[in-house]
Amino acid sequence: MIDTLRPLLAVLGLMMMAMGAAAQTAPGDSVYRCGPDGRSYSTTPCASGKPVEVADPRSAEQQRQARDAAQRERQMADKLIAERVQREKATVPAAAGHIGPPAKASAPKSTKPKKKKKGKAVDPTMSEPIRTVTPTK
């Protein structure tokens, strides 16, 4: 669940940073994109820095609506995280299992000696008798 919220939270974070940067700079101030990869910003000129337009063209009402929407989404994300944590706490982890078909319950072994069948005495030098089936007519 949290994996589906990560992109949304990342976008919200970037929007909030941009709104914060816009709020901190006065309309006449300049912001420069610095660094070899252009990922850092500064209000003072830097080597190979490029000026960035930071004026917010939205009205005060639009900015308020954006802040309210960001706050609602933040509250929803917190609520979803709390629900997930609660579900995870309620889940009982499964015990170690057996891979494969379930084992059959075996009957307790008897301690009595097995009885030998009574029958004709068999010559130990001869092989077992072969049983044949006689066809019926």
Side-chain angles (χ1 to χ4, degrees), residues 7-25:
L8 176 64
L9 293 175
V11 170
L12 287 173
L14 290 173
M15 286 176 48
M16 291 178 63
M17 287 175 31
M19 287 178 12
Q24 290 177 355
T25 58

Side-chain angles (χ1 to χ4, degrees), residues 7-124:
L8 176 64
L9 293 175
V11 170
L12 287 173
L14 290 173
M15 286 176 48
M16 291 178 63
M17 287 175 31
M19 287 178 12
Q24 290 177 355
T25 58
D29 289 347
S30 297
V31 174
Y32 299 92
R33 188 175 202 155
C34 304
D37 55 357
R39 292 188 178 196
S40 60
Y41 296 89
S42 174
T43 55
T44 57
C46 52
S48 71
K50 298 177 183 174
V52 179
E53 180 62 41
V54 292
D56 191 354
R58 299 177 298 169
S59 69
E61 177 63 22
Q62 290 172 327
Q63 291 177 8
R64 185 190 61 76
Q65 289 174 351
R67 280 192 302 273
D68 292 346
Q71 183 179 3
R72 281 192 308 273
E73 290 172 354
R74 199 170 34 251
Q75 288 172 344
M76 179 59 77
D78 291 342
K79 179 182 174 187
L80 291 172
I81 290 170
E83 288 175 2
R84 178 188 53 83
V85 168
Q86 188 177 20
R87 277 193 315 271
E88 287 175 355
K89 285 182 180 178
T91 303
V92 177
H98 172 75
I99 298 177
K104 294 181 181 177
S106 60
K109 293 185 178 182
S110 174
T111 56
K112 296 180 184 177
K114 292 185 179 181
K115 295 181 181 178
K116 293 186 179 181
K117 292 183 181 178
K118 294 180 182 177
K120 297 180 182 177
V122 179
D123 184 3

Side-chain angles (χ1 to χ4, degrees), residues 1-13:
M1 183 66 161
I2 193 73
D3 292 332
T4 58
L5 290 177
R6 285 181 201 251
L8 176 64
L9 293 175
V11 170
L12 287 173

